Amino acid sequence: MTHDRSPSDITDVTQLVLHERRSRDRGWWDAQRECFAPDSTVRVSWFRGTGADFVTESEKLAANGEDATHSVGPPVVDLHRDRALAEVPCHMELRTHLDDTPVMLSCHARLLYRAERRSDEWLIASLDAVYERDAVTPHVPGTRLHLDEEKLATFRPSYRMLAYLLGQRGYSIAEDLYGDDRPEHVAALHRSAWTWLRNGR
């Protein structure tokens, strides 16, 4: 579903989403803000709101020592006139603690960006994460981790450890996020995204 625009548009959208992720990991907050449209929205595990507020809260998260990094694969970009969809495979790692034990949280997801050309500039209109699976490992191999199995079982399997660990650190994790354990929910997201793309200006 790539129509009406030159390959340079695909490059521009690809660079837009890659710059957004790189800016997040490098702590280049002003550069990250410039990637989002003023009326943009973001929905990820620990945040739901505007793109500008997402950057502000990400900055606070980093200042609190939550050292997250994102490794992303090549985006798949679909274009229609002045709108674009970009799906990006993403592996997130977060250095944190389980009680007093240093651990690494590893999370696999797909990031779905909607982008719009506004005044000859591509900007992110929305960002949604689709969660696949996650795991937690101790920094020191062989360290025993103590988990509340009953509490752990209350979280969804596509982002169970993410919800468990961030919940312990005071973050509220929504129960209705997009995840591969609810394929019908993910399918509805994609239908909505394709409808949005086809109705582009």
Side-chain angles (χ1 to χ4, degrees):
M1 173 75 61
T2 299
H3 301 298
D4 302 336
R5 292 296 179 180
S6 69
S8 65
D9 290 317
I10 295 178
T11 299
D12 289 345
V13 173
T14 297
Q15 288 300 307
L16 172 67
V17 299
L18 294 179
H19 274 275
E20 188 276 327
R21 286 292 86 189
R22 183 182 70 168
S23 297
R24 165 64 185 84
D25 285 356
R26 301 294 182 269
W28 299 343
W29 309 116
D30 289 341
Q32 189 185 14
R33 283 187 187 88
E34 292 174 357
C35 296
F36 288 96
D39 57 347
S40 57
T41 60
V42 175
R43 176 159 59 177
V44 294
S45 61
W46 61 275
F47 177 86
R48 188 174 298 186
T50 68
D53 287 344
F54 172 63
V55 178
T56 298
E57 293 303 315
S58 295
E59 186 173 4
K60 293 178 182 177
L61 197 71
N64 288 335
E66 304 292 357
D67 186 16
T69 58
H70 303 80
S71 300
V72 298
V76 177
V77 178
D78 292 282
L79 294 169
H80 183 62
R81 297 178 181 171
D82 289 325
R83 289 184 174 179
L85 296 177
E87 186 174 85
V88 184
C90 179
H91 175 214
M92 185 272 287
E93 290 187 327
L94 174 66
R95 295 181 179 88
T96 186
H97 287 79
L98 177 60
D99 299 323
D100 294 326
T101 303
V103 296
M104 178 68 77
L105 172 65
S106 175
C107 177
H108 292 267
R110 302 185 298 279
L111 304 180
L112 182 63
Y113 292 87
R114 303 185 194 197
E116 285 189 299
R117 183 200 305 273
R118 301 185 183 182
S119 301
D120 292 325
E121 180 184 15
W122 285 100
L123 295 171
I124 296 168
S126 71
L127 167 59
D128 287 287
V130 179
Y131 293 93
E132 298 173 352
R133 65 188 186 280
D134 59 10
V136 62
T137 55
H139 281 195
V140 178
T143 301
R144 184 181 178 88
L145 299 180
H146 300 281
L147 300 168
D148 184 334
E149 294 186 6
E150 289 187 3
K151 184 175 183 180
L152 190 64
T154 65
F155 298 120
R156 289 175 49 196
S158 58
Y159 54 99
R160 178 168 290 156
M161 297 309 307
L162 184 66
Y164 185 91
L165 287 177
L166 291 187
Q168 281 199 332
R169 303 187 71 76
Y171 295 97
S172 178
I173 308 302
E175 198 273 338
D176 62 346
L177 296 171
Y178 297 108
D180 283 348
D181 58 319
R182 294 183 181 175
E184 71 287 348
H185 196 196
V186 176
L189 169 67
H190 284 284
R191 286 195 299 270
S192 172
W194 285 114
T195 298
W196 175 87
L197 179 67
R198 294 182 181 116
N199 291 337
R201 294 169 292 177

